[in-house]
Amino acid sequence: MFLDSLLARNPALIDAAADLHRRGAVPPDTYVMDLDAIEANAELLAAEAERLGLGLWFVVKQLGRNPELIKAIARHIPKYAAIDPPEARTLHAAGAQAGNLGHLVQIPHRALPEMLSWRPETVTVYDLANARAVSDAALGLGRVQDILIRLEGAPGAVYPGQEGGVPLAGIEAFAAAVEQLPGVRIGGVTAFPCVLCDPATGLPAPTANFDLALAARRTLAARGHEDLRLSAPSATSVATLPLLAELGATHGEPGHSLTGTTPLHARDLGQPEKPAYVYVTEVAHTLADGRPAVFGGGFYARSHITSALLPRTGVRLPVQEAPPENIDYYRLLDAPGAGAGPRPGDTALLAFRTQIFVTRSTVAVVAGLSTGAPRLVGLFDAQGKAAS
């Protein structure tokens, strides 16, 4: 999906990744991350958000929750949105500031005292029981916590596994109940996804969830609530920030734009953010019909992979489809044409949409590519822990 973009805009990362694998410095099933490019992308996003008067909370699940990358991003975007408690703990330990907790996964009740002690800007709640739990935990810490009300998504606009939220029709009753809780203050609304890129063109557009969030905020404002935030996550990038500002959002949540890997970046090589990672694997064996099998572990069902580059021969081979219900022990490439084919041990490089935190991959962080002096900062697992 992103191999053309990477070859055109960050060939130094391709070369460095291939060299690291050839030397045995990184194993197959490794995402090699360009630290310099990721920090530069964060700086671009921060500058555009400041110009538009928008707040940003960065997201790192797709980066493998990596502490080195978190530190680089936080130099420009200090606050984060953590999608679940393990991610929140990694972000906190790396020194980033808590912007929004409970973003996609509610904070377990027993973890609330710990996480509210970090003084997050907001906590997202899906229902009244969670609002009560946040209120009780905040009172225990002697403070009042701002919450974001998560709206129930529009029909057909919610991903499976992300169900929940307050229906728009029930926002008045929900607000009336929350207003009686002494430990919380209604600080705004959110929904997910609020912006999506068209599958055919890559162009961003608001979803029906955005309309729901705007309507809910109007209802809350009519009840006298002031300074209400509206966080509109998904597909947040330099190109979509003006859309968020125009439609009335107060916050975006950049994730894939930090690595230059939104669907818009796949189709428009002129986007400001630079592609910043490549997947490294190697040929494991060849089938009797000539198809090479590469080691897996880092493939993702929504990755939209098209081809793999084999640096030793310079050949690009199409990547065959694989059913998501099966474990990706290997991934098959098309058989090469006449001539020297791939050999076991050959490096294979791919660039596709990923969510590293759901893989079993290694993450290699490389610094210095922007100055022509690349160096391997370290190896980490997919949850951000240093690899042995």
Side-chain angles (χ1 to χ4, degrees):
M1 182 178 182
F2 296 107
L3 192 53
D4 288 336
S5 175
L6 195 60
L7 286 165
R9 299 197 55 202
N10 199 352
L13 177 56
I14 290 272
D15 294 341
D19 180 63
L20 286 168
H21 180 256
R22 277 193 300 266
R23 293 191 285 109
V26 303
D29 182 24
T30 294
Y31 286 94
V32 179
M33 317 295 292
D34 183 343
L35 178 68
D36 298 8
I38 289 170
E39 181 164 0
N41 291 341
E43 187 174 13
L44 286 171
L45 285 155
E48 180 66 358
E50 183 177 13
R51 183 184 75 83
L52 295 165
L54 290 170
L56 293 180
W57 297 321
F58 71 92
V59 179
V60 294
K61 61 191 174 76
Q62 74 288 346
L63 301 175
R65 300 168 169 171
N66 188 275
E68 294 296 330
L69 303 179
I70 290 167
K71 291 171 188 174
I73 296 164
R75 284 193 280 270
H76 306 279
I77 306 172
K79 293 186 178 182
Y80 62 80
I83 65 115
D84 62 16
E87 183 163 295
R89 292 187 177 99
T90 300
L91 285 152
H92 178 71
Q97 300 172 28
N100 183 21
L101 303 181
H103 164 64
L104 290 180
V105 178
Q106 292 287 271
I107 303 173
H109 288 193
R110 293 169 187 82
L112 280 167
E114 171 200 4
M115 294 190 177
L116 294 190
S117 73
W118 306 340
R119 305 189 73 84
E121 183 178 341
T122 63
V123 172
T124 294
V125 297
Y126 281 54
D127 62 13
L128 191 56
N130 277 285
R132 287 196 185 101
V134 173
S135 176
D136 291 345
L139 287 176
L141 295 169
R143 55 187 297 261
V144 175
Q145 174 63 56
D146 274 13
I147 60 170
L148 292 185
I149 301 171
R150 160 71 177 245
L151 272 296
E152 182 182 65
V158 177
Y159 297 126
Q162 297 184 22
E163 299 87 355
V166 179
L168 180 61
I171 196 71
E172 284 266 18
F174 184 84
V178 170
E179 287 160 5
Q180 303 306 308
L181 300 177
V184 293
R185 171 187 174 273
I186 294 175
V189 296
T190 189
F192 189 86
C194 288
V195 176
L196 288 177
C197 294
D198 184 275
T201 66
L203 295 176
T207 70
N209 295 334
F210 207 141
D211 293 332
L212 292 176
L214 288 166
R217 186 173 63 175
R218 288 193 295 270
T219 298
L220 295 172
R223 292 184 64 86
H225 294 281
E226 299 178 342
D227 302 322
L228 291 168
R229 304 168 186 84
L230 193 164
S231 185
S234 189
T236 304
S237 67
V238 170
T240 63
L241 287 175
L243 176 66
L244 298 190
E246 177 187 348
L247 294 176
T250 63
H251 287 73
E253 300 183 13
H256 275 287
S257 58
L258 293 164
T259 49
T261 52
T262 75
L264 184 58
H265 291 84
R267 290 168 174 82
D268 181 0
L269 303 190
Q271 288 300 302
E273 298 94 338
K274 190 175 184 179
Y277 67 75
V278 64
Y279 183 65
V280 180
T281 186
E282 71 178 60
V283 177
H285 58 275
T286 302
L287 277 61
D289 60 10
R291 287 177 294 166
V294 298
F295 290 107
F299 294 103
Y300 176 62
R302 297 168 58 208
S303 57
H304 303 291
I305 305 171
T306 56
S307 64
L309 173 66
L310 303 170
R312 184 180 65 82
T313 61
V315 171
R316 281 176 70 168
L317 295 177
V319 179
Q320 298 195 342
E321 292 288 334
E325 62 267 23
N326 291 88
I327 299 170
D328 64 331
Y329 296 109
Y330 302 104
R331 194 68 183 263
L332 292 176
L333 311 181
D334 281 1
R343 301 190 296 245
D346 276 358
T347 303
L349 302 177
L350 304 92
F352 50 84
R353 188 170 175 87
T354 190
Q355 297 282 346
I356 294 176
F357 83 112
V358 298
T359 72
R360 54 188 188 276
S361 302
T362 299
V363 175
V365 178
V366 174
L369 280 168
S370 63
T371 60
R375 61 181 178 85
L376 181 62
V377 174
L379 298 178
F380 303 83
D381 68 15
Q383 302 303 319
K385 297 182 178 64
S388 59

